[in-house]
Amino acid sequence: MFDKIKISKFLRRFKYILVIVLGLALLTVIGENSMLQRYKYNQQISELQEEIEKQEAKYVSDSIRLSELERNPNAIRKIARERYFMKADDEDIFVMSDEIAEETDEAVK
């Protein structure tokens, strides 16, 4: 009986503080609109914005390359040689790479 009286006095005395504490706990931890969810959503948004910026930069570079291909027929040859190592009949192609040099250095040791 004495414990119930103490609890009821405590609740009556600190009812506003208890409601505020419980409300803050609900806002920060529980639910879709909690602070934790907002933090996760903000991180997702920033990652997606970075991805958008990368894609936009890629789009700009690809559209410049496409317009160059449409204007200049020699650009097709240039891209074929640089990217796909294609060559004309009377040419030799030498591909230089640091990886191959490192592998041969390790084999010699």
Side-chain angles (χ1 to χ4, degrees):
M1 184 80 164
F2 189 67
D3 291 333
K4 290 181 183 179
I5 294 172
K6 278 187 172 181
I7 293 173
S8 65
K9 282 184 179 180
F10 178 78
L11 289 177
R12 273 189 261 137
R13 178 181 262 177
F14 297 109
K15 62 184 171 188
Y16 296 112
I17 294 174
L18 288 172
V19 168
I20 290 171
V21 168
L22 288 174
L24 288 175
L26 287 173
L27 287 174
T28 57
V29 179
I30 300 172
E32 279 186 26
N33 297 324
S34 68
M35 297 301 262
L36 296 174
Q37 284 298 97
R38 288 184 57 107
Y39 177 74
K40 290 177 185 176
Y41 291 150
N42 284 338
Q43 282 202 334
Q44 275 183 334
I45 288 170
S46 65
E47 289 172 3
L48 291 173
Q49 285 175 341
E50 288 174 7
E51 184 68 27
I52 287 171
E53 290 172 3
K54 288 178 188 176
Q55 294 298 327
E56 285 177 347
K58 184 178 177 183
Y59 172 75
V60 168
S61 67
D62 287 346
S63 35
I64 290 171
R65 180 171 280 156
L66 180 62
S67 66
E68 182 183 336
L69 286 173
E70 290 173 349
R71 285 184 287 136
N72 188 1
N74 291 331
I76 295 173
R77 260 191 232 138
K78 179 182 175 186
I79 290 174
R81 289 175 188 222
E82 289 177 356
R83 277 195 178 174
Y84 304 110
F85 304 115
M86 293 183 172
K87 65 179 185 104
D89 291 334
D90 59 343
E91 290 182 331
D92 290 330
I93 294 181
F94 297 98
V95 178
M96 302 175 115
S97 173
D98 292 338
E99 295 173 8
I100 296 171
E102 290 173 3
E103 290 174 7
T104 56
D105 290 342
E106 290 176 4
V108 172
K109 292 180 182 178

